[in-house]
Amino acid sequence: MREIVLINITGEDRPGLTAAITGVLARGGVNILDIGQAVIHDTLSFGILVEIPGTEQGSSVLKDLLFTGYELNQQVRFTPVSEEDYRNWVSNQGKPRHIVTLLTRKVTAEQLQRVSSITAKYGLNIDHIDRLSGRVALDTPVEQGKGCIEFSVRGEPADPQALRAEFLSVGQELSVDIAFQQDSLFRRNRRLAVFDMDSTLIEAEVIDELAKAAGVGEQVSEITERAMRGELDFRASFKERLALLKGLDVNVLDDIGASLRLTEGAETLFAELKRLGYKTAILSGGFTYFAKQLQAKLGIDYVFANELEVVDGKVTGVAIEPIVDAQRKADLLTELARKEGLQMEQTIAVGDGANDLPMLAIAGLGVAFRAKPLVRQSAKQAISTLGLDGVLYLLGMRDREGA
C-alpha cells in the first residue's frame, strides 16, 4: 500500500546533498509530489512531499534516507500525510495568488510581524518568503541601506480596500512601503515605463527654480505645492505660474539645467530597464528643454513635455498648446502602449503629483513616488522610503539579477 510522506531535511548546506537525497528516493521508486529548498546563512531547509510505492524497494526507503542523512550530518524528519489531506491540498491549486512586497531602509522583526499579521487577518496564507535585496554589512548607515522582502500569498482578501488602508497606515508608522499586487503573468512581463519628471526623475520642480531666477519664487512655489496636492486644477495653475515668468532671460536655463540633480536610484533603474528591453518615456507637465537633457543622460526613448516659449531671448509667459496635463499624460500612455503593441497591463507609470493620478490609475503598475498624501492614498502602489530603483523590486527583481 502506498504512503504519502513529507520529508524535512535541515543542516549545513553542502554540494551534492540534493543529488544524494534524491538518489535514495530514486532507488525506492518514489514519486515527487512537491519540493522546496531554501538556504539561509549556509543552513539548508529542504522539504519533499513524496509518494512511496507499496513495494519491496519502497519499504526501505525511509530507513535508507535516515542513514544517508546521518552520513551527511543532516537532520531528517518524516511526517505522514493522509490521502484526504493530500486531496484537500490539491484542491487549493488555482486559488488567487498575490505578492506583498515590503520595502525599507532596514528590515526589522516588527515590520515583518505587522505585515504577516495583516495578511492573516484578511484570510491570506503565506506560501513563500524571499529576500530580493542584497546582503547588507552590519555597519551600513540606515540612510544608505536597501531592504526588500517579498511574500507570496494565497487567497483573496475579504476587503482589499481595508487591507490596503492598513498596509498604508503601518507603512507610515514604521517607515516602510508595503505593496500588494496580483501575482499575474504580466508582473514580470511589462515592457513600457513612463515617468513624471519634476520631483520624480529629478529632485526639484523646475518651474519653481525658474521662478526663483525671475524673483517670484515664493509666489510660484505656493501655487505649485497646492497643484501637486490636488487643491488646484493643474492646467489653470500652470498658466498662472507661467505668466509670472514673463521677461525671464533665457540664459538662466542652462544654469538651472546644470544644477538639477537626478533622484536617488534613477540611473540604476533606467540602466536595468534598458537591459531588460523596456521602452521608456518622460510624460511631464514641466518643460521639454530640461526633459531633453534627461533623455540624453538616461537613454530615454520618448519625451512629451511643455514648450517654454521664448522671443528675443526672453520667456513670454504664454503656454503653448497642447499642455501636458493630467488627462494628456493618461492619453499619451495609452497611445505609446498602442504604438509599441502592448496591453495596458504591460505598462508602468511613476509620478508624485495629483496630475499623475490618471496615468497611474490606468497603468498595469502605477507607483506614487515620494508623493503627497492624496496621491499616495489614491495610487495602486507607493514608494516613499527607497529610491526610484525600488520599482525593480515591485517587478520581482533581485539585486543579484542586476547587471
Side-chain angles (χ1 to χ4, degrees):
M1 183 177 177
R2 68 184 179 189
E3 291 182 87
I4 301 175
V5 179
L6 175 61
I7 304 167
N8 292 107
I9 299 167
T10 57
E12 184 179 352
D13 188 34
R14 56 193 296 176
L17 192 148
T18 302
I21 296 299
T22 53
V24 173
L25 299 176
R27 291 193 295 273
V30 166
N31 295 321
I32 306 296
L33 303 176
D34 195 16
I35 187 168
Q37 176 177 310
V39 177
I40 300 177
H41 199 64
D42 294 329
T43 299
L44 172 76
S45 179
F46 189 17
I48 319 172
L49 184 64
V50 300
E51 178 190 11
I52 302 173
T55 63
E56 186 176 338
Q57 282 180 305
S59 63
S60 63
V61 69
L62 298 183
K63 180 181 67 176
D64 293 343
L65 201 56
L66 278 173
F67 181 73
T68 300
Y70 175 78
E71 286 189 318
L72 296 172
N73 197 28
Q74 302 291 314
Q75 294 183 347
V76 182
R77 182 164 59 91
F78 304 120
T79 304
V81 176
S82 70
E83 292 200 18
E84 182 182 359
D85 286 344
Y86 180 74
R87 282 193 295 271
N88 289 337
W89 177 74
V90 170
S91 69
N92 285 325
Q93 192 167 244
K95 283 193 173 182
R97 289 184 177 274
H98 294 83
I99 297 294
V100 179
T101 312
L102 183 153
L103 304 96
T104 183
R105 291 294 181 182
K106 190 178 186 67
V107 180
T108 69
E110 183 179 10
Q111 292 166 350
L112 295 180
Q113 186 273 328
R114 297 288 289 278
V115 169
S116 56
S117 294
I118 293 171
T119 58
K121 176 181 175 180
Y122 286 89
L124 301 172
N125 186 66
I126 299 172
D127 282 342
H128 304 287
I129 302 176
D130 293 309
R131 173 175 54 86
L132 302 187
S133 51
R135 298 172 183 174
V136 180
L138 289 174
D139 56 354
T140 300
V142 173
E143 65 275 9
Q144 295 177 19
K146 273 201 329 180
C148 179
I149 305 296
E150 181 182 276
F151 301 78
S152 175
V153 301
R154 179 168 23 93
E156 196 67 61
D159 187 339
Q161 290 301 110
L163 168 72
R164 190 181 180 284
E166 286 206 38
F167 278 155
L168 194 61
S169 175
V170 168
Q172 292 171 341
E173 179 187 343
L174 300 181
S175 298
V176 61
D177 295 314
I178 307 166
F180 182 72
Q181 305 176 67
Q182 185 177 3
D183 191 7
S184 70
L185 172 68
F186 294 108
R187 181 166 168 261
R188 290 180 67 113
N189 192 35
R190 296 189 167 105
R191 287 294 173 266
L192 170 66
V194 305
F195 299 84
D196 174 48
M197 178 175 67
D198 297 40
S199 298
T200 298
L201 292 182
I202 56 176
E203 295 180 341
E205 292 286 336
V206 171
I207 198 166
D208 291 354
E209 300 304 310
L210 293 171
K212 290 175 186 176
V216 290
E218 288 188 16
Q219 193 174 349
V220 168
S221 176
E222 181 182 349
I223 299 171
T224 300
E225 182 72 13
R226 292 182 64 197
M228 291 303 100
R229 289 199 303 260
E231 297 173 5
L232 298 175
D233 173 72
F234 176 83
R235 174 178 285 269
S237 70
F238 177 73
K239 290 182 177 181
E240 182 182 354
R241 286 175 288 168
L242 193 57
L244 292 170
L245 301 182
K246 183 178 179 180
L248 179 66
D249 195 303
V250 73
N251 290 328
V252 306
L253 300 184
D254 286 338
D255 291 338
I256 290 174
S259 70
L260 298 176
R261 293 178 53 189
L262 285 172
T263 299
E264 175 194 0
E267 289 176 296
T268 299
L269 173 60
F270 277 87
E272 285 303 300
L273 292 179
K274 186 173 183 179
R275 185 175 71 90
L276 294 170
Y278 276 71
K279 292 290 185 179
T280 55
I282 291 176
L283 307 184
S284 174
F287 300 107
T288 304
Y289 180 90
F290 303 100
K292 291 287 187 182
Q293 293 180 344
L294 288 183
Q295 182 180 31
K297 185 176 293 187
L298 297 173
I300 296 170
D301 297 291
Y302 302 101
V303 165
F304 297 92
N306 294 308
E307 293 295 335
L308 192 61
E309 186 180 66
V310 176
V311 175
D312 297 330
K314 304 289 184 181
V315 174
T316 67
V318 176
I320 300 176
E321 298 287 347
I323 294 173
V324 179
D325 59 6
Q327 188 56 51
R328 178 75 174 140
K329 287 187 178 189
D331 292 343
L332 286 167
L333 173 56
T334 302
E335 290 171 20
L336 286 174
R338 187 181 303 118
K339 179 179 179 179
E340 295 295 336
L342 301 173
Q343 299 182 49
M344 290 305 293
E345 290 88 347
Q346 293 178 277
T347 66
I348 302 168
V350 183
D352 73 296
N355 65 318
D356 296 311
L357 282 174
M359 76 171 181
L360 299 185
I362 64 172
L365 175 63
V367 182
F369 180 74
R370 297 182 180 176
K372 304 297 185 291
L374 169 68
V375 183
R376 196 162 58 240
Q377 292 164 14
S378 302
K380 298 173 187 174
Q381 314 298 345
I383 295 178
S384 298
T385 56
L386 301 184
L388 268 177
D389 52 343
V391 171
L392 296 170
Y393 291 139
L394 301 187
L395 305 179
M397 282 196 62
R398 293 170 168 80
D399 282 350
R400 64 174 180 268
E401 295 174 330

